[in-house]
Amino acid sequence: MSCKVCKFGGTSMADGNVILRAAEIVKADKERRYVVVSAPGKRFSGDIKVTDLLYALYAAYEKQDSDLFEELYEKISVRFLNIEREIGKDLKVRAALDEAKAAILGGAGKDYCVSRGEFITAHIVAEVLGVPFVDATEFVRFDENGILKEETFDLAGKVLKSYDKAVVPGFYGLGADGKVKTFSRGGGDISGAIVARGVKAALYENWTDVSGFYACDPRIVNSPVCMSELSYSELRELSYMGANVLHSESIFPVRSAGIPIRISNTFRPEDRGTFIVPDAKRSFGDSVVTGIAGKKGFTSITIEKSMMNAEIGFVQKVLSVIGKHGISFEHLPSGIDTMSLVIDNEFLKDGILDVLLQEMKEAVRPDRIYTHEDIALIATVGHGMAKNVGTSARLFKALSENGVNVNMIDQGSSELNIIVGVEGKDCESCIRAIYREFFQE
Ligand code: ASP
């Protein structure tokens, strides 16, 4: 029998009633055999995700602030005990909480602590569905650098083969030191993709609180178009650039196996959702642009030097400066006598930027070096752009007509995206201008 893997995000696990709703979705299709869950997320705006409470709990433990520790532990306990009450069944939540607390106080570590949201939720869902719980540490493996090991996929297949149905906690696995290790935030999507690849699923269903992938952020443009289909590469570009429906790394496990992903809405399961497939079909009349996403918080360092183009090893010297500090760059647009490096501000805290500038001056003796410290990057993405003459002309005309000043332009060689760098304050108006041009003609 072909099978589907369902991953439910935090809002789909936020309280007992929503969990029951998710369970109905699973039961409505007998091909939905493997379920991966996140920890309970926000129930309303202003609410706190259980994972955030767990991070705070661990910080209190480290600071040895026992009052705060107890206060947070109580908050987390109330969340889970309410879920148990709403479901109306003995789910052994108290015992699970006590066990987690004892292990945290016994030094189990930060990743263990923050993974308990998923662990307890998966036990609850397994109990509600009446199917076995299988811990992610049985097959999700990381190497000593924290990189997911390739063997994870085969191991997932081997372990899960013995279960006709199972519920697996997302977000973590086993580190090289034999301890629990988590993915980056939102990593439950990666766990779902690992399970889908391991069991060779026909479909990876990602259940969330929106009815699919919108052409841009609905907080910026009112009711944007919901895409019916999107390619893996388009999704990767958009999610990397801030469209946060899916973790940007979650496509890798399913992509090589050609398993499509469907984004569905737990609160409107009848909606079609968005399918993410190897090659998205575009019909006549579709926009040449598939989606627009933007991210703030970058700095560009521009270096100018006459005859830069003739100086062998120039770029390499600049890159070795950032490499030495363990910093990676996002973009490297260059001209004949100029080059820029765009770097995420996360890397530039605590005066590091000044150190880099000084070291670059010494390394390449530029004529001029300057920075823009509040850059937003906006990606306009779509396979349709490669075949349509004049797409970039339309994009830049729209930006100039809306008074958006462009600091940097980068077009990927696959012609899948055009990235512009604008001042942080122009991020939203830039996205709106591009949306209007391509979707509201
Ligand atoms: N619970 C984790 C987080 O809040 C992982 C996830 O939801 O995918 O980041």
Side-chain angles (χ1 to χ4, degrees), residues 207-238:
W207 291 87
T208 175
D209 56 358
V210 286
S211 290
F213 222 99
Y214 293 106
C216 71
D217 189 335
R219 287 167 303 186
I220 298 176
V221 168
N222 211 354
S223 314
V225 171
C226 185
M227 302 169 223
S228 54
E229 212 169 65
L230 189 69
S231 75
Y232 291 130
S233 350
E234 288 171 329
L235 168 80
R236 165 91 176 128
E237 298 285 344
L238 289 167

Short mmCIF file of all heavy atoms in Angstrom, two decimals, residues 207-238:
data_model
loop_
_atom_site.label_atom_id
_atom_site.label_comp_id
_atom_site.label_asym_id
_atom_site.label_seq_id
_atom_site.Cartn_x
_atom_site.Cartn_y
_atom_site.Cartn_z
N TRP A 207 1.21 19.71 7.43
CA TRP A 207 -0.03 20.36 7.91
C TRP A 207 0.31 21.56 8.79
O TRP A 207 1.04 21.43 9.77
CB TRP A 207 -0.88 19.36 8.69
CG TRP A 207 -1.46 18.31 7.79
CD1 TRP A 207 -0.87 17.13 7.42
CD2 TRP A 207 -2.71 18.36 7.10
NE1 TRP A 207 -1.69 16.43 6.56
CE2 TRP A 207 -2.83 17.16 6.35
CE3 TRP A 207 -3.77 19.28 7.05
CZ2 TRP A 207 -3.94 16.88 5.56
CZ3 TRP A 207 -4.88 18.99 6.27
CH2 TRP A 207 -4.96 17.80 5.53
N THR A 208 -0.25 22.70 8.41
CA THR A 208 0.10 23.92 9.12
C THR A 208 -1.16 24.78 9.32
O THR A 208 -2.26 24.24 9.33
CB THR A 208 1.25 24.62 8.34
OG1 THR A 208 1.52 25.85 8.94
CG2 THR A 208 0.93 24.84 6.87
N ASP A 209 -1.00 26.09 9.49
CA ASP A 209 -2.18 26.92 9.73
C ASP A 209 -2.48 27.86 8.57
O ASP A 209 -3.21 28.81 8.72
CB ASP A 209 -2.02 27.72 11.04
CG ASP A 209 -0.76 28.57 11.03
OD1 ASP A 209 -0.01 28.51 10.04
OD2 ASP A 209 -0.52 29.28 12.02
N VAL A 210 -1.89 27.58 7.41
CA VAL A 210 -2.24 28.36 6.21
C VAL A 210 -2.57 27.38 5.08
O VAL A 210 -2.13 26.23 5.10
CB VAL A 210 -1.08 29.30 5.75
CG1 VAL A 210 -0.94 30.50 6.66
CG2 VAL A 210 0.23 28.55 5.63
N SER A 211 -3.34 27.86 4.11
CA SER A 211 -3.82 26.95 3.07
C SER A 211 -2.84 26.78 1.92
O SER A 211 -3.24 26.44 0.82
CB SER A 211 -5.17 27.44 2.55
OG SER A 211 -6.14 27.27 3.55
N GLY A 212 -1.59 27.04 2.16
CA GLY A 212 -0.59 26.84 1.12
C GLY A 212 0.45 27.94 1.16
O GLY A 212 0.55 28.70 2.12
N PHE A 213 1.19 27.98 0.08
CA PHE A 213 2.29 28.93 -0.03
C PHE A 213 1.79 30.15 -0.78
O PHE A 213 1.33 30.05 -1.92
CB PHE A 213 3.39 28.25 -0.85
CG PHE A 213 4.75 28.48 -0.30
CD1 PHE A 213 5.36 27.54 0.49
CD2 PHE A 213 5.43 29.66 -0.58
CE1 PHE A 213 6.62 27.74 1.00
CE2 PHE A 213 6.69 29.87 -0.07
CZ PHE A 213 7.29 28.91 0.72
N TYR A 214 1.85 31.29 -0.16
CA TYR A 214 1.37 32.50 -0.82
C TYR A 214 2.48 33.14 -1.66
O TYR A 214 3.66 32.97 -1.35
CB TYR A 214 0.88 33.51 0.22
CG TYR A 214 -0.35 33.04 0.94
CD1 TYR A 214 -0.30 32.60 2.25
CD2 TYR A 214 -1.57 33.01 0.27
CE1 TYR A 214 -1.43 32.14 2.91
CE2 TYR A 214 -2.72 32.55 0.92
CZ TYR A 214 -2.63 32.11 2.23
OH TYR A 214 -3.75 31.65 2.86
N ALA A 215 2.05 33.88 -2.67
CA ALA A 215 3.04 34.52 -3.56
C ALA A 215 3.90 35.51 -2.80
O ALA A 215 5.00 35.82 -3.22
CB ALA A 215 2.33 35.19 -4.72
N CYS A 216 3.38 36.05 -1.70
CA CYS A 216 4.25 36.82 -0.80
C CYS A 216 3.59 36.86 0.58
O CYS A 216 2.49 36.32 0.76
CB CYS A 216 4.55 38.21 -1.34
SG CYS A 216 3.18 39.31 -1.32
N ASP A 217 4.27 37.46 1.52
CA ASP A 217 3.82 37.45 2.91
C ASP A 217 2.47 38.17 3.06
O ASP A 217 2.37 39.36 2.76
CB ASP A 217 4.91 38.15 3.74
CG ASP A 217 4.68 38.02 5.23
OD1 ASP A 217 3.52 37.83 5.64
OD2 ASP A 217 5.67 38.11 5.98
N PRO A 218 1.44 37.47 3.54
CA PRO A 218 0.11 38.10 3.69
C PRO A 218 0.11 39.26 4.69
O PRO A 218 -0.85 40.03 4.72
CB PRO A 218 -0.80 36.97 4.17
CG PRO A 218 0.00 35.75 4.18
CD PRO A 218 1.44 36.07 3.95
N ARG A 219 1.16 39.36 5.50
CA ARG A 219 1.21 40.51 6.41
C ARG A 219 1.67 41.76 5.65
O ARG A 219 1.52 42.88 6.13
CB ARG A 219 2.18 40.24 7.57
CG ARG A 219 1.62 39.24 8.56
CD ARG A 219 2.69 38.75 9.48
NE ARG A 219 3.78 38.15 8.70
CZ ARG A 219 4.82 37.53 9.22
NH1 ARG A 219 4.95 37.42 10.51
NH2 ARG A 219 5.75 37.01 8.44
N ILE A 220 2.20 41.58 4.46
CA ILE A 220 2.69 42.73 3.68
C ILE A 220 1.69 43.10 2.57
O ILE A 220 1.41 44.26 2.33
CB ILE A 220 4.09 42.43 3.10
CG1 ILE A 220 5.06 42.20 4.26
CG2 ILE A 220 4.57 43.56 2.20
CD1 ILE A 220 6.46 41.82 3.86
N VAL A 221 1.15 42.07 1.92
CA VAL A 221 0.15 42.31 0.87
C VAL A 221 -1.12 41.62 1.30
O VAL A 221 -1.09 40.46 1.72
CB VAL A 221 0.64 41.75 -0.50
CG1 VAL A 221 -0.48 41.74 -1.51
CG2 VAL A 221 1.83 42.53 -1.01
N ASN A 222 -2.22 42.33 1.19
CA ASN A 222 -3.50 41.77 1.60
C ASN A 222 -3.94 40.64 0.66
O ASN A 222 -3.96 40.82 -0.55
CB ASN A 222 -4.53 42.92 1.54
CG ASN A 222 -5.60 42.72 2.56
OD1 ASN A 222 -5.63 41.67 3.23
ND2 ASN A 222 -6.46 43.69 2.69
N SER A 223 -4.29 39.48 1.20
CA SER A 223 -4.75 38.31 0.43
C SER A 223 -3.96 38.06 -0.85
O SER A 223 -4.52 38.13 -1.95
CB SER A 223 -6.22 38.45 0.04
OG SER A 223 -6.98 38.88 1.09
N PRO A 224 -2.69 37.75 -0.74
CA PRO A 224 -1.94 37.45 -1.96
C PRO A 224 -2.40 36.12 -2.56
O PRO A 224 -3.04 35.31 -1.89
CB PRO A 224 -0.49 37.36 -1.46
CG PRO A 224 -0.60 37.04 -0.02
CD PRO A 224 -1.89 37.60 0.48
N VAL A 225 -2.03 35.91 -3.82
CA VAL A 225 -2.38 34.67 -4.52
C VAL A 225 -1.76 33.47 -3.79
O VAL A 225 -0.62 33.55 -3.33
CB VAL A 225 -1.76 34.74 -5.95
CG1 VAL A 225 -1.89 33.43 -6.69
CG2 VAL A 225 -2.34 35.90 -6.72
N CYS A 226 -2.51 32.37 -3.69
CA CYS A 226 -1.96 31.14 -3.11
C CYS A 226 -1.52 30.26 -4.27
O CYS A 226 -2.29 30.01 -5.19
CB CYS A 226 -3.04 30.44 -2.27
SG CYS A 226 -2.41 29.01 -1.41
N MET A 227 -0.27 29.81 -4.26
CA MET A 227 0.23 29.05 -5.40
C MET A 227 -0.30 27.62 -5.35
O MET A 227 -0.32 27.02 -4.27
CB MET A 227 1.76 28.98 -5.33
CG MET A 227 2.41 30.31 -5.33
SD MET A 227 4.14 30.04 -4.93
CE MET A 227 4.40 31.34 -3.80
N SER A 228 -0.68 27.09 -6.51
CA SER A 228 -1.17 25.71 -6.46
C SER A 228 0.01 24.75 -6.58
O SER A 228 -0.02 23.66 -6.03
CB SER A 228 -2.21 25.46 -7.54
OG SER A 228 -1.66 25.82 -8.78
N GLU A 229 1.04 25.19 -7.29
CA GLU A 229 2.19 24.30 -7.48
C GLU A 229 3.48 25.11 -7.48
O GLU A 229 3.51 26.24 -7.96
CB GLU A 229 2.04 23.61 -8.83
CG GLU A 229 2.61 22.24 -8.85
CD GLU A 229 2.19 21.51 -10.11
OE1 GLU A 229 2.59 21.95 -11.20
OE2 GLU A 229 1.46 20.53 -9.98
N LEU A 230 4.52 24.48 -7.00
CA LEU A 230 5.80 25.18 -6.83
C LEU A 230 6.88 24.12 -7.01
O LEU A 230 6.69 22.97 -6.62
CB LEU A 230 5.76 25.68 -5.39
CG LEU A 230 6.73 26.60 -4.76
CD1 LEU A 230 6.55 27.98 -5.39
CD2 LEU A 230 6.41 26.75 -3.27
N SER A 231 8.02 24.49 -7.62
CA SER A 231 9.07 23.47 -7.76
C SER A 231 9.93 23.46 -6.49
O SER A 231 9.93 24.43 -5.73
CB SER A 231 9.95 23.75 -8.98
OG SER A 231 10.82 24.82 -8.69
N TYR A 232 10.69 22.38 -6.31
CA TYR A 232 11.57 22.31 -5.14
C TYR A 232 12.52 23.51 -5.12
O TYR A 232 12.79 24.08 -4.07
CB TYR A 232 12.46 21.06 -5.20
CG TYR A 232 11.77 19.74 -5.01
CD1 TYR A 232 11.99 18.71 -5.91
CD2 TYR A 232 10.94 19.51 -3.93
CE1 TYR A 232 11.39 17.47 -5.73
CE2 TYR A 232 10.34 18.28 -3.75
CZ TYR A 232 10.57 17.26 -4.66
OH TYR A 232 9.99 16.04 -4.48
N SER A 233 13.07 23.86 -6.32
CA SER A 233 14.05 24.96 -6.30
C SER A 233 13.39 26.29 -5.97
O SER A 233 13.98 27.12 -5.29
CB SER A 233 14.81 25.10 -7.62
OG SER A 233 14.60 24.07 -8.47
N GLU A 234 12.17 26.50 -6.47
CA GLU A 234 11.48 27.75 -6.12
C GLU A 234 11.22 27.82 -4.62
O GLU A 234 11.42 28.84 -3.98
CB GLU A 234 10.16 27.86 -6.90
CG GLU A 234 10.35 28.13 -8.38
CD GLU A 234 9.05 28.02 -9.16
OE1 GLU A 234 8.17 27.21 -8.78
OE2 GLU A 234 8.90 28.72 -10.16
N LEU A 235 10.81 26.69 -4.07
CA LEU A 235 10.55 26.66 -2.64
C LEU A 235 11.82 26.95 -1.84
O LEU A 235 11.81 27.72 -0.89
CB LEU A 235 10.02 25.28 -2.23
CG LEU A 235 10.00 25.09 -0.72
CD1 LEU A 235 8.78 25.76 -0.12
CD2 LEU A 235 10.06 23.66 -0.32
N ARG A 236 12.91 26.35 -2.27
CA ARG A 236 14.18 26.53 -1.55
C ARG A 236 14.55 28.02 -1.54
O ARG A 236 14.91 28.57 -0.51
CB ARG A 236 15.24 25.67 -2.25
CG ARG A 236 16.65 26.00 -1.87
CD ARG A 236 17.13 25.18 -0.70
NE ARG A 236 18.53 25.47 -0.43
CZ ARG A 236 19.03 25.82 0.74
NH1 ARG A 236 18.24 25.91 1.79
NH2 ARG A 236 20.30 26.06 0.89
N GLU A 237 14.45 28.65 -2.72
CA GLU A 237 14.81 30.08 -2.79
C GLU A 237 13.90 30.90 -1.90
O GLU A 237 14.34 31.76 -1.15
CB GLU A 237 14.65 30.62 -4.23
CG GLU A 237 15.54 29.96 -5.26
CD GLU A 237 16.99 30.39 -5.16
OE1 GLU A 237 17.27 31.41 -4.51
OE2 GLU A 237 17.85 29.68 -5.72
N LEU A 238 12.59 30.64 -1.97
CA LEU A 238 11.64 31.47 -1.23
C LEU A 238 11.75 31.23 0.27
O LEU A 238 11.70 32.17 1.06
CB LEU A 238 10.21 31.21 -1.70
CG LEU A 238 9.89 31.74 -3.10
CD1 LEU A 238 8.59 31.16 -3.62
CD2 LEU A 238 9.80 33.27 -3.08
#
